[in-house]
Amino acid sequence: MQQFEITSEFIANVKNFVDEGDNASISKLLGELHHADIAEILDELNFEQSIYIIRLLDSDITSEIIAELDEDVREKVLRSLSSKEIAEEIDELETDDAADIIAELPEAQKEEVIAQLEDVEKAKDIVDLLRYNEDTAGGLMRKELIAVRDSWTVLHCVKEMRKQAEAFEKVHTIYVVNDDGILKGRLSLKSLLTTSTKTPISEIFNPKITSVKVEEDDEEVAKIMQKYDLIVVPVIDEMGRLMGQITIDDVVDVIREEADKDYQLAAGITQDVEASDSIFELTKARLPWLFLGLIGGVGAFLIMEGFKDFFKNYAVLFFFTPLIAAMAGNVGVQSSAIIVQGLANNDVKGSINNRLIKEMLLATLNGIILALFLFAFVWGYEGDPSKAFAISVSLVAVIIVAGLVGTFIPLFLNKRGIDPAIATGPFITTSNDIFGILIYFWIAKMILGI
Amino acid sequence: MQQFEITSEFIANVKNFVDEGDNASISKLLGELHHADIAEILDELNFEQSIYIIRLLDSDITSEIIAELDEDVREKVLRSLSSKEIAEEIDELETDDAADIIAELPEAQKEEVIAQLEDVEKAKDIVDLLRYNEDTAGGLMRKELIAVRDSWTVLHCVKEMRKQAEAFEKVHTIYVVNDDGILKGRLSLKSLLTTSTKTPISEIFNPKITSVKVEEDDEEVAKIMQKYDLIVVPVIDEMGRLMGQITIDDVVDVIREEADKDYQLAAGITQDVEASDSIFELTKARLPWLFLGLIGGVGAFLIMEGFKDFFKNYAVLFFFTPLIAAMAGNVGVQSSAIIVQGLANNDVKGSINNRLIKEMLLATLNGIILALFLFAFVWGYEGDPSKAFAISVSLVAVIIVAGLVGTFIPLFLNKRGIDPAIATGPFITTSNDIFGILIYFWIAKMILGI
């Protein structure tokens, strides 16, 4: 099977069949598709059409579809299903997806749904999982895994594994625990297939295994899995007991969300919003940063007001304030972004001082190159080398200060345990606008001897 | 084993032992560590110390360490090793890492190293892999995989798999091919363990398998693996023959690099640079965008020059140009970032027109809220409601235009097949600065009837 391309023609067909109630054709069209594809198709339909299809298809596939839907669509879908129907869907899911969905339900309904789950063992696991904060290893893990005891023989082990054959298609690691459930290591398929059946597991298992604690932060789990190239990692509790496992596909979502969040912060968007969110939600995410920009602009106004006596003879100075502000902002964003990204990727080494010295050299180099062009332009346009000199020298100073501020603030926030990503974007451009314009007028004043 | 924490004390110990030539202590310290940890330690040492350790440790571990090093450190390390030594390291690596490293060598050395590889089969595979562009599925895949023929029986299959037992620790999927090597499906461990040994594979394999073409773009591979939650995906050629497989850990790097690139573009940094790169490289990545900002600033200057007659009576208008420029820039970056991210996550649906209407409503709402505050401030400070009104109305207009430009440009670039990420950051702030200031003066002029 190649991946499937959803065309608008295909969507139109599905819609038609739903409107006509042609169940046979719907089943034929969707029957062979991957649940991720069906979820994408449902995102394109209206709500009644989606519900119609969910009620029509088997719960082994609809459960996967529901787990895959956008959170806001899922909320609506779940609201239109009874607790019994939801429990049937959840019975088909793995524990991590099941717990995520139950966590989204209203408090009152949670208990109702859990009470109606058929598989009592799974219900216990789900209730366990609900205890963990969603941003921790416990919140990411699922309970399904294959564990064998170090006291067993290979033969016993294979028999146990055959019993649990249902779970097999997704086995990535066979964990070895002792009789108290404490994680001891892992068993490779190789040893299992190539050792005599009487060998005790304790003699052939591999004790080298990287695990994470159940309370570990999800971003830390992501870093560990990336660093050690792990497909799956076991989760243990404070006693070292094996509690569950996390597979890399769940961590990929964490990595993407983290990158998305940093990107949004850099663009001046707080809160996790998407292009499809409501205008009200988007305003809530965007307005605070714009307000910050407004305050910065008022600050710039007050500074320029303070220098208004220059106006008569040096109006040209005022015409360059947007340029100064833009350069201060751009340099600040560049230097802070490099630091923020370096911190995220563990790539920022050495002392803050070294980093600041490097940024100063860099800003000086860039500033002088840019100032030469500006000098030539102003001299040529205004015919006044002293004004051109004052403006250009100020530009270099502004760029250096902007670079230092952009480097220092994220490093400082990081030392203080604050997410440095908030320091990129509007925060840095606004403060650099004000600093930049102030420095610009001071230096120009000194040079021109006003 | 819990993950290992690299302390500065530990690094100091390693350095001491290297300087003293105390090989026994080095081996003891590093012997039990994961190669990813050793690679991190080497990044902290100087070059001679790193080479000393690489020469000291076994090539089965040093090969993994070399594959893990930062590209610039690896380049230096490889330059100090002979072709024979490099070949020994490469003999220990999987084909994808091996091909990546060989691709980095100077042309002349490539052939030398390949000629000295002991494993001729692997050498062939590596030469094959070198043909593919590194940004495609072929460039990501490795040749190591387990494939069985649909004409075999279960017994034959298990025997073949035992033979290849070496590769077992990393088996994720058992692929089924026909006698021409064409991918037919996959075999679950479950069917292998629970079916009679005489059953032909053709009766028990699962024909549902998602594959990618060898020429597929790496970012597309990442999207497919994320969408279908795949741990591993087979790669096929134009005839459908199984060529290799890609595991998710390689794709995680693609996802991270892609997110990093978008983030850097939004911050005005072209080219992939890191905080630790040289000042010259950083200048190359940053200066072009600053130059764009300079040109934008000169544009703003020319516009203000054109309105300089207002100076005498309306100086206050000029004092607000940094505010106007900042707001235009911030709104532009916010709206473009949401679109860029939405496009990356396949979350932007519906027509461009709908999107523009939504952004216009959003910008109008935000603009009016901000303008009310500005109006109150200017009126209170300047005591002139007509100026306050002119400035505030202009602000609303500027914000609306900035939002529309920020929404339209990335959508337009995307339609044209250009990466929309270049439209965030300096590109949008610069054009919005100019547009914003122009609109601001026009509207103020109209309202004040100058």
Side-chain angles (χ1 to χ4, degrees):
Chain A
M1 185 188 82
Q2 282 292 305
Q3 64 276 12
F4 166 75
E5 188 89 44
I6 299 169
T7 61
S8 48
E9 204 189 332
F10 189 93
I11 300 281
N13 273 337
V14 174
K15 283 183 182 170
N16 274 339
F17 291 142
V18 172
D19 294 343
E20 291 163 9
D22 184 351
N23 295 353
S25 299
I26 298 171
S27 301
K28 206 178 139 205
L29 259 188
L30 303 182
E32 287 298 297
L33 293 186
H34 191 281
H35 56 82
D37 288 317
I38 302 183
E40 253 185 42
I41 292 168
L42 294 196
D43 280 337
E44 303 282 328
L45 303 185
N46 70 35
F47 180 62
E48 285 71 29
Q49 292 166 333
S50 302
I51 287 289
Y52 188 90
I53 289 178
I54 287 174
R55 288 231 157 90
L56 179 68
L57 299 177
D58 284 343
S59 67
D60 60 335
I61 180 128
T62 54
S63 58
E64 299 283 351
I65 295 170
I66 289 174
E68 201 83 18
L69 287 175
D70 273 355
E71 216 170 295
D72 38 344
V73 180
R74 178 163 59 228
E75 201 191 315
K76 278 205 272 176
V77 168
L78 291 178
R79 236 184 283 144
S80 76
L81 297 179
S82 70
S83 294
K84 173 120 195 75
E85 284 173 311
I86 296 176
E88 280 167 15
E89 302 286 357
I90 286 183
D91 262 323
E92 300 287 340
L93 287 174
E94 299 210 316
T95 47
D96 53 344
D97 289 333
D100 287 348
I101 290 182
I102 289 185
E104 287 172 20
L105 295 175
E107 279 308 320
Q109 205 180 8
K110 274 183 198 169
E111 286 180 34
E112 266 181 55
V113 171
I114 292 169
Q116 304 214 41
L117 290 176
E118 281 201 356
D119 183 340
V120 179
E121 283 308 307
K122 179 181 270 181
K124 282 185 202 164
D125 284 344
I126 293 172
V127 171
D128 270 357
L129 288 180
L130 286 174
R131 280 194 298 128
Y132 299 108
N133 185 314
E134 62 168 335
D135 300 329
T136 64
L140 278 178
M141 73 183 181
R142 63 192 148 90
K143 288 288 198 171
E144 289 87 351
L145 51 79
I146 301 276
V148 298
R149 298 212 177 165
D150 57 359
S151 53
W152 293 350
T153 61
V154 167
L155 184 67
H156 186 160
C157 202
V158 171
K159 275 189 192 159
E160 276 293 329
M161 287 174 65
R162 277 210 186 128
K163 260 194 240 163
Q164 304 170 47
E166 273 312 306
F168 257 118
E169 232 152 317
K170 281 186 181 173
V171 173
H172 304 297
T173 303
I174 304 163
Y175 300 104
V176 179
V177 297
N178 70 10
D179 292 341
D180 294 323
I182 291 175
L183 179 66
K184 290 310 207 178
R186 62 195 162 90
L187 186 64
S188 72
L189 217 58
K190 175 176 146 189
S191 355
L192 201 62
L193 285 177
T194 56
T195 335
S196 123
T197 52
K198 284 176 203 155
T199 320
I201 298 299
S202 58
E203 283 179 17
I204 55 168
F205 81 89
N206 183 346
K208 274 198 180 174
I209 187 162
T210 303
S211 58
V212 296
K213 290 258 172 66
V214 78
E215 298 295 346
E216 188 74 84
D217 186 74
D218 60 351
E219 289 170 25
E220 195 54 38
V221 175
K223 275 191 190 166
I224 291 166
M225 293 191 79
Q226 285 181 74
K227 177 172 172 186
Y228 297 116
D229 286 339
L230 302 175
I231 296 293
V232 61
V233 70
V235 182
I236 57 175
D237 70 1
E238 294 75 4
M239 284 174 62
R241 285 181 304 186
L242 181 61
M243 304 302 285
Q245 63 177 349
I246 298 172
T247 43
I248 184 83
D249 47 318
D250 299 313
V251 166
V252 167
D253 297 337
V254 173
I255 296 168
R256 260 193 35 204
E257 279 165 25
E258 182 58 15
D260 282 0
K261 203 188 73 190
D262 282 1
Y263 184 78
Q264 294 201 335
L265 279 175
I269 303 169
T270 19
Q271 316 203 15
D272 189 23
V273 288
E274 288 168 9
S276 54
D277 283 343
S278 74
I279 288 184
F280 177 69
E281 283 173 298
L282 286 166
T283 296
K284 247 183 24 189
R286 290 168 57 165
L287 196 58
W289 290 114
L290 294 180
F291 207 79
L292 182 68
L294 191 77
I295 290 170
V298 168
F301 160 80
L302 292 173
I303 293 168
M304 287 164 81
E305 257 274 312
F307 288 95
K308 71 175 163 198
D309 296 341
F310 293 18
F311 234 54
K312 229 171 71 192
N313 299 317
Y314 297 98
V316 63
L317 286 186
F318 290 82
F319 299 161
F320 277 109
T321 48
L323 183 146
I324 294 295
M327 299 309 281
N330 286 353
V331 170
V333 169
Q334 285 181 336
S335 47
S336 61
I338 285 201
I339 296 294
V340 167
Q341 201 164 61
L343 290 170
N345 296 343
N346 270 325
D347 183 44
V348 176
K349 283 152 193 162
S351 70
I352 290 193
N353 278 343
N354 288 343
R355 188 83 15 220
L356 289 176
I357 290 169
K358 184 174 178 184
E359 178 62 34
M360 202 170 78
L361 293 173
L362 179 66
T364 310
L365 176 65
N366 287 351
I368 289 175
I369 296 172
L370 295 164
L372 287 176
F373 281 93
L374 190 63
F375 179 78
F377 173 78
V378 180
W379 190 7
Y381 196 91
E382 294 280 323
D384 180 345
S386 70
K387 278 182 197 165
F389 183 70
I391 292 171
S392 308
V393 171
S394 306
L395 179 67
V396 178
V398 165
I399 287 177
I400 293 172
V401 173
L404 292 179
V405 170
T407 304
F408 178 74
I409 290 183
L411 287 173
F412 174 78
L413 291 179
N414 189 55
K415 281 245 159 177
R416 286 288 173 117
I418 302 168
D419 182 357
I422 64 158
T424 49
F427 184 85
I428 220 86
T429 49
T430 301
S431 55
N432 276 355
D433 276 7
I434 300 181
F435 270 128
I437 290 175
L438 192 59
I439 292 166
Y440 167 72
F441 277 107
W442 269 345
I443 294 186
K445 189 179 165 184
M446 278 193 308
I447 291 179
L448 295 171
I450 314 171
Chain B
M1 185 189 82
Q2 282 291 307
Q3 64 275 12
F4 167 75
E5 188 90 44
I6 299 167
T7 60
S8 48
E9 203 189 332
F10 189 94
I11 300 282
N13 273 337
V14 174
K15 282 183 181 169
N16 274 339
F17 291 141
V18 171
D19 294 343
E20 292 163 9
D22 183 350
N23 295 352
S25 299
I26 298 171
S27 301
K28 206 177 138 206
L29 260 189
L30 303 182
E32 286 299 297
L33 294 186
H34 191 281
H35 57 80
D37 288 317
I38 302 183
E40 253 185 42
I41 293 167
L42 294 196
D43 279 337
E44 301 282 328
L45 304 185
N46 71 34
F47 180 63
E48 284 71 28
Q49 291 166 334
S50 301
I51 287 289
Y52 188 91
I53 289 179
I54 288 173
R55 288 231 157 91
L56 178 67
L57 300 175
D58 283 344
S59 67
D60 60 336
I61 181 128
T62 54
S63 59
E64 299 284 351
I65 295 170
I66 289 173
E68 201 84 17
L69 287 174
D70 274 353
E71 216 170 294
D72 39 344
V73 179
R74 178 163 60 230
E75 200 191 318
K76 276 205 273 177
V77 168
L78 292 177
R79 232 183 287 143
S80 76
L81 297 178
S82 69
S83 294
K84 174 121 195 72
E85 284 173 310
I86 296 176
E88 281 167 14
E89 302 286 358
I90 286 182
D91 262 321
E92 299 287 340
L93 287 175
E94 298 209 317
T95 47
D96 52 344
D97 289 333
D100 288 348
I101 290 181
I102 290 184
E104 287 170 20
L105 296 174
E107 278 309 318
Q109 204 179 8
K110 275 184 197 169
E111 284 180 35
E112 266 181 55
V113 170
I114 292 168
Q116 304 214 40
L117 290 175
E118 280 200 358
D119 183 340
V120 179
E121 283 308 309
K122 180 181 269 181
K124 282 185 201 164
D125 284 343
I126 293 172
V127 171
D128 270 357
L129 289 180
L130 286 174
R131 278 194 300 128
Y132 300 107
N133 186 313
E134 61 168 336
D135 300 329
T136 64
L140 278 178
M141 72 183 183
R142 63 193 148 88
K143 289 288 199 172
E144 288 87 352
L145 51 79
I146 301 277
V148 299
R149 298 213 178 164
D150 58 357
S151 54
W152 293 351
T153 62
V154 167
L155 184 67
H156 186 160
C157 201
V158 171
K159 274 189 193 157
E160 276 292 328
M161 287 174 66
R162 278 210 184 127
K163 259 193 240 163
Q164 304 171 47
E166 274 311 306
F168 258 119
E169 235 153 317
K170 281 184 182 175
V171 173
H172 304 295
T173 303
I174 304 164
Y175 300 104
V176 178
V177 297
N178 70 9
D179 292 340
D180 294 323
I182 290 175
L183 179 66
K184 289 310 207 181
R186 64 195 160 89
L187 187 63
S188 72
L189 218 58
K190 176 177 143 190
S191 357
L192 200 63
L193 284 178
T194 56
T195 334
S196 124
T197 52
K198 284 175 203 154
T199 320
I201 298 299
S202 57
E203 283 180 17
I204 54 167
F205 81 88
N206 183 344
K208 275 200 180 173
I209 188 163
T210 303
S211 58
V212 297
K213 291 259 172 68
V214 79
E215 298 294 348
E216 189 73 85
D217 187 75
D218 60 352
E219 288 170 25
E220 196 52 40
V221 175
K223 276 190 190 166
I224 291 167
M225 293 190 79
Q226 285 181 75
K227 178 173 171 186
Y228 298 116
D229 285 340
L230 303 175
I231 296 292
V232 61
V233 69
V235 182
I236 57 174
D237 71 0
E238 294 75 4
M239 284 175 62
R241 286 181 303 185
L242 181 61
M243 303 303 284
Q245 64 177 349
I246 298 173
T247 43
I248 185 84
D249 48 318
D250 299 314
V251 167
V252 167
D253 297 338
V254 173
I255 295 168
R256 259 194 35 205
E257 278 165 24
E258 182 57 14
D260 282 2
K261 203 187 73 192
D262 283 359
Y263 184 78
Q264 295 201 334
L265 279 174
I269 304 168
T270 20
Q271 313 202 16
D272 189 23
V273 288
E274 288 167 10
S276 53
D277 282 342
S278 74
I279 288 183
F280 177 68
E281 282 173 299
L282 286 166
T283 296
K284 250 185 17 191
R286 289 168 58 165
L287 195 58
W289 288 113
L290 294 179
F291 207 79
L292 182 68
L294 191 77
I295 290 171
V298 168
F301 161 81
L302 292 174
I303 293 168
M304 287 164 81
E305 258 274 313
F307 286 96
K308 71 177 164 199
D309 297 341
F310 293 17
F311 234 55
K312 231 169 72 191
N313 299 317
Y314 298 98
V316 63
L317 285 186
F318 289 83
F319 299 161
F320 277 109
T321 47
L323 183 146
I324 295 294
M327 299 308 282
N330 286 353
V331 170
V333 169
Q334 285 181 336
S335 47
S336 61
I338 284 203
I339 296 294
V340 167
Q341 202 163 60
L343 289 169
N345 296 342
N346 270 325
D347 183 45
V348 176
K349 282 151 194 165
S351 70
I352 290 192
N353 279 342
N354 288 342
R355 188 95 0 232
L356 289 176
I357 290 168
K358 184 174 179 185
E359 178 63 34
M360 203 170 77
L361 293 174
L362 179 67
T364 310
L365 177 64
N366 287 352
I368 289 175
I369 296 172
L370 294 165
L372 287 176
F373 281 94
L374 190 62
F375 179 78
F377 172 78
V378 180
W379 191 6
Y381 196 92
E382 295 279 324
D384 180 343
S386 70
K387 277 182 196 163
F389 182 71
I391 292 171
S392 308
V393 171
S394 306
L395 178 67
V396 179
V398 165
I399 287 177
I400 293 172
V401 172
L404 292 179
V405 170
T407 304
F408 179 74
I409 291 182
L411 287 172
F412 174 78
L413 291 179
N414 189 55
K415 280 246 158 174
R416 286 287 173 116
I418 301 168
D419 183 357
I422 64 159
T424 50
F427 184 84
I428 220 85
T429 49
T430 302
S431 55
N432 277 355
D433 276 7
I434 300 180
F435 269 128
I437 289 175
L438 192 59
I439 292 167
Y440 167 72
F441 277 106
W442 268 344
I443 293 187
K445 189 177 163 184
M446 276 195 305
I447 291 179
L448 295 172
I450 314 171

